[in-house]
Amino acid sequence: MYLVLFIAMAICGLTIFAGIYISHAGGKNAVKIKRWIKASVAVYAVLIAAFLMFFLPNTAKAATAPNPSASMAFISAALSTGLATIAAGYAVGAVGSSALGAVSEDPNILGRSLIFVGLAEGIAIYGLIISIMILGKV
């Protein structure tokens, strides 16, 4: 187990140093090093996946649901929170960039643009409230 973690940390460190080298040196070797970085990230992901599949199942065991319908409640709570945060991220990205453009043209509308950004962030809170309500019924 420690060998897998050591190899993963070594690959991660070498990838970071290669990125620093690319940012400072550039040139012809940058293409080769970028390929090496992609390969090292792939190997790193495989090592982490192997670690998670082979070493952690003995320590982390899933809890059993109290009844069969509880598993569907857990899935629906996770989906409501996850989809709401994805939608909120998209909304904040769209509204926030538009608000920045509008504020750069007219600084007097900063307060109104912040209200719209706050409304977009509220989508995630609504999803969290729904998931809490679902989990409260289980």
Side-chain angles (χ1 to χ4, degrees), residues 122-134:
I123 297 171
I125 295 171
Y126 297 142
L128 183 63
I129 290 171
I130 294 299
S131 67
I132 289 171
M133 289 170 58
I134 291 170

Side-chain angles (χ1 to χ4, degrees), residues 27-136:
K28 298 180 213 175
N29 293 332
V31 174
K32 290 180 183 177
I33 292 177
K34 285 182 183 179
R35 287 184 193 152
W36 184 80
I37 287 175
K38 289 178 184 176
S40 67
V41 168
V43 170
Y44 181 73
V46 168
L47 283 173
I48 293 298
F51 176 76
L52 291 175
M53 285 191 299
F54 296 118
F55 296 118
L56 285 184
N58 296 331
T59 58
K61 301 206 184 292
T64 57
N67 56 17
S69 65
S71 59
M72 291 302 286
F74 294 143
I75 290 173
S76 63
L79 280 175
S80 69
T81 303
L83 293 175
T85 53
I86 289 172
Y90 179 75
V92 168
V95 172
S97 64
S98 300
L100 275 173
V103 169
S104 67
E105 291 180 11
D106 185 13
N108 294 330
I109 61 171
L110 176 66
R112 285 181 276 184
S113 63
L114 285 178
I115 290 171
F116 289 116
V117 174
L119 288 173
E121 288 177 1
I123 297 171
I125 295 171
Y126 297 142
L128 183 63
I129 290 171
I130 294 299
S131 67
I132 289 171
M133 289 170 58
I134 291 170
L135 291 176

